């Protein structure tokens, strides 16, 4: 459903590639966990997939179309993004908008839905993440865990084909981490297609269908979760799991 | 206080107040409005990095901040008629002060725009907003709030600077005070009276600043819920 092929990426100020040829694929309904030491390029990969960064080379296949990631047009980027959700490590809610308005924004403006309909969907999504009673709150008056759940509702409301999560709980205290992971587990059981960069090994073990282990800009191992955690093929993956 | 002096102050007070209400305040508000709208435009074309317009904006700011406002007023009111552009004194004052202040406001607004976290911009693109939508709906509302104290500061300065409009024949409040002072030979009392009225206006503006800041806040000390608002 979503596939990227030989993605390479380096940043302006260095010649070394941060991504050195990544091939990676998600099927519909799958939950893929991407793990790996910090600096291995996990964030950069998600940002290239959502075109927040421009890859130097590579192709993306999504919803039946294939695009060159370097030469893709703005219109096509927009089209791809309209079918993708993204949840950031630090939430990135719109600070001048309430929880409800945050969730509605993508519906009423880019998708031109009428306000009543958008409001119903937004409220439904806020209920789904357990925040039906916080609809009128501004981000500044929500805890980190609540903000992240609003961010998840904002992504969900747009009914994307896939949602990309970049360490959604890394900025949260342990007790707030739980409430966010609970929501994500529920989405997984409902069949939401998700790509989750995470350091939560328990979550990966329990929820992911597949685990992708990255290090130094390459995918070291890509295996079904059970296989990965019980009998990793690569010594480096085994090492990484042991240290966690 | 002598009875005569008291009489002079009493009869001149309504006259000064009238000049304030009819001239000083409208000139201030008109110029301020112009300066904010133009300031936003000057700031946005810079942040958006629009070719040519960005350079024009920088040149504009360079010129209007680099020359005295009184010279700008003279050019507009006394100079432009020589190229066939004739503007009445009050509109000329509004334009002059507005163009001048826009240069200062643009810098405050530009800094405020840059203070809005980049993550929100990325989030906006990812839900599908375009750049103009992102600016209008997410960035500018936050930037205006951040810039507000310094914009308001400029407004308070402007109230007092409007006395310079006298030099292009605008009969604003201070001109009235001068006239009465000349007629009655009571400069000390008259100028104190004018100062007092400026002080009142600025006091009201300072009070308004707190009211508006409270209204604009999206995290209020008292539990902070705007009820039943949608967009
Ligand atoms: N904007 C950037 N400019 C330069 N280097 C960057 C930038 N973003 C990330 N990097 C570098 O790319 C590498 C991979 O980073 P990242 O994708 O954030 O890793 P991870 O998410 O796995 O921790 C790191 O060495 C990081 O320093
Ligand atoms: Mg990262």
């Amino acid at each position: 459903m979503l596939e990227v092929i030989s993605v390479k990426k380096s940043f302006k100020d260095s010649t070394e590639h941060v991504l050195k040829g990544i091939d990676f694929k998600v099927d519909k309904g799958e939950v893929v966990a991407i793990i790996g030491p910090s600096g291995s390029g996990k964030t950069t990969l998600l940002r290239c997939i959502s075109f927040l960064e421009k890859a130097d080379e590579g192709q993306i296949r999504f919803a039946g179309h294939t695009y060159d990631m370097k030469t893709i047009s703005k219109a096509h980027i927009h089209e791809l993004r309209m079918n993708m959700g993204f949840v950031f490590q630090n939430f990135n809610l719109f600070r001048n908008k309430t929880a409800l308005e945050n969730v509605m924004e993508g519906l009423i403006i880019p998708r031109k839905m009428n306000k009543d309909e958008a409001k119903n969907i937004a409220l439904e999504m806020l209920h789904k993440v357990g925040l039906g009673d916080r609809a009128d709150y501004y981000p500044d008056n929500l805890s980190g865990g609540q903000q992240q759940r609003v961010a998840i509702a904002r992504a969900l409301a747009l009914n994307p084909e896939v949602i990309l999560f970049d360490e959604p709980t890394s900025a949260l205290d342990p007790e707030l981490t739980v409430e966010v992971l609970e929501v994500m587990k529920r989405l997984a059981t409902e069949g939401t297609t998700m790509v989750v960069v995470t350091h939560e090994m328990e979550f990966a073990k329990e929820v992911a269908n597949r685990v992708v282990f990255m290090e130094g800009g390459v995918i070291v191992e890509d295996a079904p979760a059970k296989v990965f955690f019980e009998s990793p093929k690569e010594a480096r993956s085994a090492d990484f799991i042991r240290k966690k | 206080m002598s009875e005569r002096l008291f009489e002079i102050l009493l009869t001149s007070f309504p006259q000064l107040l009238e000049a304030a209400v009819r001239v000083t305040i409208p000139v201030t508000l008109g110029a301020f409005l112009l300066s904010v709208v133009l300031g936003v435009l000057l700031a946005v074309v810079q942040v958006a990095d629009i070719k040519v317009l960005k350079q024009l904006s920088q040149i504009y700011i360079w010129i209007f901040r680099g020359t005295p406002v009184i010279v700008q007023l003279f050019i507009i009111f006394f100079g432009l008629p020589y190229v066939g552009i004739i503007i009445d004194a009050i509109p000329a004052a509004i334009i002059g002060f507005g163009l001048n202040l826009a240069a200062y406001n643009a810098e405050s607004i530009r800094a405020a725009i840059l203070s809005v976290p980049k993550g929100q911009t990325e989030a906006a693109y990812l839900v599908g907003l375009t750049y103009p939508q992102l600016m209008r709906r997410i960035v500018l509302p936050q930037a205006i709030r951040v810039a507000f104290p310094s914009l308001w500061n400029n407004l308070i300065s402007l109230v007092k600077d409007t006395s310079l409009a006298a030099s292009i024949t605008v009969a604003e409040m201070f001109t009235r005070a001068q006239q009465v002072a000349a007629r009655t030979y009571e400069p000390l009392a008259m100028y104190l009276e004018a100062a007092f009225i400026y002080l009142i206006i600025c006091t009201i503006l300072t009070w308004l600043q707190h009211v508006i800041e409270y209204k604009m806040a999206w995290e209020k000390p008292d539990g902070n819920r705007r009820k039943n608002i949608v967009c």
Side-chain angles (χ1 to χ4, degrees):
Chain A
M1 195 256 302
L2 168 68
E3 185 173 5
V4 292
I5 302 151
S6 357
V7 181
K8 290 190 185 157
K9 169 74 186 168
S10 59
F11 286 101
K12 266 194 220 100
D13 44 350
S14 92
T15 49
E16 219 212 322
H17 279 83
V18 171
L19 300 177
K20 300 172 179 160
I22 301 279
D23 294 285
F24 165 78
K25 189 177 163 202
V26 203
D27 287 325
K28 195 166 167 52
E30 234 185 350
V31 177
V32 179
I34 300 180
I35 63 173
S38 95
S40 56
K42 306 179 298 293
T43 295
T44 306
L45 176 60
L46 291 196
R47 290 175 62 86
C48 285
I49 292 175
S50 52
F51 295 92
L52 292 175
E53 302 284 352
K54 201 77 166 226
D56 303 334
E57 294 177 36
Q59 267 151 15
I60 185 164
R61 199 170 286 161
F62 187 53
H65 298 281
T66 305
Y67 304 98
D68 185 278
M69 290 173 83
K70 193 176 173 192
T71 58
I72 185 170
S73 69
K74 272 197 172 163
H76 283 138
I77 290 177
H78 182 76
E79 203 178 300
L80 287 180
R81 283 174 173 169
M82 293 290 269
N83 292 302
M84 248 180 220
F86 199 105
V87 175
F88 296 87
Q89 186 170 343
N90 49 358
F91 335 130
N92 290 337
L93 293 182
F94 308 131
R95 213 178 150 212
N96 59 324
K97 295 189 177 288
T98 62
L100 183 69
E101 291 167 338
N102 263 276
V103 181
M104 288 172 65
E105 188 68 13
L107 294 171
I108 54 175
I109 304 299
R111 289 162 187 79
K112 302 188 171 65
M113 190 180 279
N114 81 47
K115 274 190 187 169
D116 292 334
E117 200 182 336
K119 190 176 172 184
N120 286 338
I121 293 177
L123 281 173
E124 187 190 325
M125 293 305 150
L126 286 173
H127 277 294
K128 194 163 182 165
V129 299
L131 292 172
D133 59 338
R134 291 290 187 274
D136 291 336
Y137 279 57
Y138 284 89
D140 285 5
N141 289 74
L142 295 170
S143 72
Q146 291 171 334
Q147 288 188 54
Q148 192 61 298
R149 285 186 284 151
V150 173
I152 293 172
R154 177 171 70 180
L156 273 179
L158 308 178
N159 195 21
E161 301 270 342
V162 55
I163 305 182
L164 312 175
F165 294 80
D166 187 13
E167 299 199 31
T169 60
S170 293
L172 301 177
D173 295 336
E175 66 271 23
L176 300 181
T177 297
V178 177
E179 65 187 45
V180 172
L181 292 180
E182 283 303 321
V183 167
M184 292 173 62
K185 275 181 204 166
R186 188 136 30 87
L187 297 183
T189 58
E190 288 171 7
T192 312
T193 312
M194 305 199 275
V195 177
V196 186
V197 171
T198 185
H199 287 294
E200 299 287 334
M201 289 303 131
E202 284 309 311
F203 175 81
K205 217 179 272 185
E206 196 183 327
V207 181
N209 308 102
R210 247 172 60 222
V211 175
V212 169
F213 175 64
M214 279 181 74
E215 195 176 53
V218 297
I219 291 180
V220 175
E221 186 161 352
D222 181 345
K226 201 159 153 45
V227 176
F228 183 87
F229 285 110
E230 282 171 11
S231 49
K233 275 205 294 290
E234 300 290 331
R236 277 182 292 168
S237 331
D239 215 38
F240 184 78
I241 307 170
R242 198 154 8 88
K243 285 189 185 135
K244 274 284 162 178
Chain B
M1 199 194 298
S2 79
E3 211 166 294
R4 176 178 166 271
L5 188 56
F6 186 74
E7 187 67 34
I8 291 170
L9 287 176
L10 206 64
T11 50
S12 62
F13 188 78
Q15 292 169 5
L16 296 199
L17 210 56
E18 191 200 347
V21 169
R22 298 182 73 139
V23 183
T24 302
I25 292 173
V27 168
T28 302
L29 292 181
F32 185 66
L33 201 67
L34 174 62
S35 75
V36 171
V37 173
L38 187 57
V40 167
L41 291 175
L42 289 166
V44 167
V45 298
Q46 286 192 53
V47 177
D49 211 352
I50 302 170
K51 271 186 251 88
V52 187
L53 287 182
K54 178 180 176 172
Q55 279 76 35
L56 286 178
S57 166
Q58 286 168 342
I59 291 169
Y60 179 97
I61 292 168
W62 171 60
I63 292 173
F64 278 86
R65 281 202 311 187
T67 55
V69 68
I70 193 158
V71 175
Q72 294 161 16
L73 290 172
F74 271 53
I75 291 172
I76 292 169
F77 186 70
F78 297 116
L80 289 185
Y82 285 87
V83 292
I85 302 170
I86 298 167
I87 306 171
D88 285 346
I90 287 182
I94 290 174
I95 293 168
F97 287 118
L99 296 184
N100 179 262
L101 199 55
Y104 292 88
N105 287 348
E107 288 297 274
S108 309
I109 294 165
R110 189 173 66 92
I113 289 175
L114 295 176
S115 79
V116 176
K118 201 162 155 275
Q120 291 183 50
T121 300
E122 296 184 340
Y125 282 135
L126 290 174
V127 300
L129 296 192
T130 61
Y131 186 82
Q133 291 167 342
L134 154 75
M135 267 293 152
R136 205 180 64 241
R137 301 184 55 88
I138 312 291
V139 176
L140 285 178
Q142 295 183 56
I144 289 293
R145 201 191 105 152
V146 171
F148 182 78
S150 81
L151 299 184
W152 208 257
N153 208 26
N154 289 345
L155 172 65
I156 289 174
S157 294
L158 179 60
V159 172
K160 296 165 291 172
D161 290 347
T162 52
S163 54
L164 292 172
S167 61
I168 59 166
T169 78
V170 174
E172 44 67 65
M173 176 178 54
F174 189 60
T175 313
R176 287 292 178 81
Q178 279 175 308
Q179 289 163 353
V180 180
R183 202 178 59 228
T184 58
Y185 301 104
E186 290 290 353
L188 178 61
M190 284 316 301
Y191 296 147
L192 282 174
E193 188 171 58
F196 178 66
I197 294 178
Y198 281 117
L199 192 59
I200 291 174
I201 298 174
C202 291
T203 306
I204 292 171
L205 287 177
T206 304
W207 169 78
L208 264 180
Q209 174 170 0
H210 298 305
V211 174
I212 297 173
E213 272 176 12
Y214 179 83
K215 288 236 177 215
M216 280 200 299
W218 41 79
E219 78 296 321
K220 304 219 164 97
D222 50 7
N224 149 73
R225 308 184 48 180
R226 260 198 317 175
K227 265 306 216 186
N228 300 324
I229 34 72
V230 171
C231 308

